[in-house]
Amino acid sequence: MSVPLIQQWESEQDRLRQQLLDVDSEDWQTRPDFSGLERVGGVDLSFIKGDDVNACAQLVVLSYPQLEVLYEDSQMVALTAPYVPGFLAFRETPFLLEALERLKKKQPSLLPQVVFVDGNGLFHYREFGLACHLGVLSGLPCVGVAKNLLQVQGVAKDEQHQSQINALQKGGDSFPLVTTSGKVLGKALRSSDESKKPIYVSVGHMISLDTAVRLTHSCCRYRVPEPIRQADCRSREYLRIRFPAADT
DNA sequence: GCGACAG
DNA sequence: ATCTTGTCGC
């Protein structure tokens, strides 16, 4: 990747980070049962096997706490930016924002009160991952959920990390992801009693880490929070039907 | 040179 | 992200 572009992206992350809010700013967030929360969103992008340009951008809105799909939007898009570790937002955010705009225009009453994002938030090399990026640009509370650990600022998947994972007894148990400087950038969460491998939760925007973890756990029927899982399943289904086997 | 590398 | 079957257990 060209160095100038990376530097431009870095400064853009620095600029947007100044607008990030990492505290609970909504009333429902501080209530024990999240009463007042009625709609949770999920976004994701799915690709066709040998094509890293064309993808299906997906937005779903589920009811809370029932977690039933209220809204679904699948849209084929052509990505322009390449995937560069640490800069995922520049590749995906534009299309996720477009999906939110379509919803706002067609059915504003269904806008989600919080959006689950497939990727990290503050748990990021420069503390500004995809979930933060989408949060700041959309003005919506966002939670970052990564399925794999990103090795950030001293946080590594060593035997120490593995033993902490083994110590997670049941769904809801978690441990902090602490930086070399002692800063907590996220938490590893055992999302259900059945799943051994944790998910990595971090603040995206307009929510505190503890609330993000508690909310995430309350949205998990399986390992991945339902909003993200539905967005993933439905975008794949969309591609499966529209772009069948590319064999002979 | 070696290992890491969200999606 | 995607490439991919079976297997074990409730």
Side-chain angles (χ1 to χ4, degrees), chain A residues 5-97:
Chain A
L5 178 58
I6 295 300
Q7 297 181 328
Q8 180 185 319
W9 281 352
E10 286 184 345
S11 63
E12 178 70 350
Q13 290 178 329
D14 287 342
R15 184 176 72 80
L16 294 176
R17 189 174 54 229
Q18 298 183 299
Q19 297 169 53
L20 185 137
L21 262 173
D22 63 351
V23 296
D24 293 322
S25 55
E26 314 297 302
D27 288 336
W28 60 264
Q29 295 172 334
T30 56
R31 301 204 261 262
D33 57 353
F34 293 127
S35 63
L37 176 62
E38 302 181 339
R39 299 173 309 284
V40 295
V43 291
D44 189 33
L45 256 61
S46 286
F47 297 78
I48 305 175
K49 43 188 175 182
D51 189 340
D52 60 342
V53 171
N54 300 104
C56 175
Q58 187 78 33
L59 166 63
V60 296
V61 179
L62 315 196
S63 60
Y64 187 91
Q66 301 82 1
L67 302 180
E68 290 172 346
V69 180
L70 301 175
Y71 174 88
E72 169 181 24
D73 176 30
S74 307
Q75 177 66 54
M76 286 307 298
V77 298
L79 308 208
T80 56
Y83 168 62
V84 180
F87 301 95
L88 177 61
F90 294 93
R91 180 167 165 77
E92 303 193 347
T93 299
F95 309 100
L96 301 180
L97 280 173

Side-chain angles (χ1 to χ4, degrees), chain A residues 196-208:
Chain A
K196 301 280 188 178
K197 185 177 180 180
I199 54 177
Y200 300 93
V201 180
S202 60
V203 169
H205 187 45
M206 296 169 69
I207 194 168
S208 68

